[in-house]
Amino acid sequence: MSLETAENSEQTLIPIVEEASRELVIPGASPVRLQTLDVARHSAPAPNGKRYVVATFNDQRMGRGYITAIYPQQGGYLTLIRLVLAEASSKTVDEAVQKHTDFIQKIQQGKLAQLLQSLLGEGE
């Protein structure tokens, strides 16, 4: 099948509308290489020495808006994706970026447990 035939077939993938990733600078948090649908991704240290990755990505295709998720980080680089600690959705990219920043600040302040508790309370 030629490229032209593939482009005109019914099996053409829905094009990804690329969200303008933001150059978001957060003191004390290291930027992490962005994935395809990411708006922002940072590694944040907690006072106890553990590190967490906060990722905000566009999940509108799944009807969830923008998702901000917290993952444990291991070995200095490995994000344990299947062990998501919590996630929250936002309707707008601006709201999602604000949550991203707030989540990182809570982690840095040693308030991850309270953040997780508040997020679990929202789901009820």
Side-chain angles (χ1 to χ4, degrees), residues 9-78:
S9 76
E10 291 180 19
Q11 296 176 355
T12 303
L13 296 175
I14 298 170
I16 295 175
V17 177
E18 294 204 21
E19 184 67 45
S21 59
R22 298 182 176 217
E23 185 64 33
L24 185 60
V25 177
I26 301 173
S30 305
V32 178
R33 184 172 174 249
L34 297 177
Q35 303 295 319
T36 302
L37 299 175
D38 281 355
V39 174
R41 186 175 290 252
H42 289 83
S43 174
N48 63 5
K50 293 183 179 180
R51 296 188 72 81
Y52 300 90
V53 172
V54 177
T56 298
F57 55 92
N58 182 339
D59 206 23
Q60 290 178 322
R61 286 193 194 173
M62 299 301 290
R64 300 187 330 150
Y66 294 89
I67 301 296
T68 302
I70 303 170
Y71 306 98
Q73 188 175 14
Q74 197 173 45
Y77 68 95
L78 182 62

Side-chain angles (χ1 to χ4, degrees), residues 52-124:
Y52 300 90
V53 172
V54 177
T56 298
F57 55 92
N58 182 339
D59 206 23
Q60 290 178 322
R61 286 193 194 173
M62 299 301 290
R64 300 187 330 150
Y66 294 89
I67 301 296
T68 302
I70 303 170
Y71 306 98
Q73 188 175 14
Q74 197 173 45
Y77 68 95
L78 182 62
T79 303
L80 301 174
I81 294 173
R82 296 195 183 272
L83 294 178
V84 63
L85 298 175
E87 60 182 31
S89 64
S90 304
K91 291 183 181 184
T92 67
V93 69
D94 291 331
E95 181 185 337
V97 168
Q98 184 60 51
K99 278 186 184 176
H100 184 93
T101 303
D102 291 345
F103 285 11
I104 289 173
Q105 290 172 346
K106 296 285 188 203
I107 290 168
Q108 291 172 332
Q109 295 166 359
K111 298 180 179 177
L112 179 60
Q114 292 114 329
L115 174 61
L116 296 176
Q117 178 113 19
S118 70
L119 291 172
L120 292 174
E122 287 179 6
E124 294 175 355

